[in-house]
Amino acid sequence: MAAIAVLRGQHQDVWIGVVLAVWAVGSMIGGLLYGGLSKAISSAAIVVSLGVATMLLTAAPNWWVLAIALLPVGMLCAPSISATVSDVNRLVPPVRRGEAMGWHGTAGTAGVSIGAPLAGLAIDYLGATWGFAITGGVGVALALAAIAIAIGRFGSGNGWRTRPSPSRPRRPPPPPS
């Protein structure tokens, strides 16, 4: 949405299709490259990079710079989804994975559903490039919040710190020596 607003503001509407196609090709390339890796890249690093790269789009002065700048942004889109799905598969027990994947899909849908009006609000009140700045910034903020939560949950180095399930009561502490 911000790309379209920027291009219309620059009277370069004729290039909208080209610019968005470059972004889509970037996503395809990124997905293929990420899928071909033998070792996964941190989802947090990918999502933070995606947010920062999106914010940097505010500096694009014309359609061809915007298209070039959208290529790496697109290249981070598919890997961000794949990496977070991989995290869900790695962290969630198989018995809960269906529910977790449902929540993952819901979060993605909610992000798109909230991001578009947020970008539109920024575009309408602050200017076209603010659509990139606001949505990228929110993405970075949410990724950093997720990192902070993960550090809190994994801080002991022993995996998730959770309460025991009712079927596995907690062992009583050993008697004092």
Side-chain angles (χ1 to χ4, degrees), residues 96 163-170:
R96 290 290 206 222
R163 287 177 270 146
S165 66
S167 62
R168 293 186 322 177
R170 192 180 292 228

Side-chain angles (χ1 to χ4, degrees), residues 40-173:
I41 299 173
S42 160
S43 61
I46 295 170
V47 175
V48 168
S49 298
L50 176 59
V52 170
T54 300
M55 290 189 299
L56 292 175
L57 295 172
T58 60
N62 55 44
W63 75 269
W64 62 270
V65 173
L66 182 60
I68 292 168
L70 271 169
L71 188 64
V73 172
M75 291 176 71
L76 292 166
C77 287
S80 70
I81 297 167
S82 295
T84 55
V85 165
S86 179
D87 285 350
V88 170
N89 284 325
R90 182 175 46 84
L91 296 171
V92 176
V95 69
R96 290 290 206 222
R97 207 163 285 150
E99 177 185 355
M101 291 308 299
W103 283 111
H104 181 276
T106 298
T109 301
V112 171
S113 298
I114 295 167
L118 186 60
L121 188 67
I123 291 164
D124 289 346
Y125 289 97
L126 301 171
T129 59
W130 280 92
F132 294 128
I134 297 294
T135 55
V138 168
V140 169
L142 291 173
L144 293 176
I147 291 167
I149 291 167
I151 289 171
R153 303 282 301 197
F154 289 107
S156 67
N158 297 323
W160 288 100
R161 293 189 301 226
T162 59
R163 287 177 270 146
S165 66
S167 62
R168 293 186 322 177
R170 192 180 292 228
R171 290 186 196 172

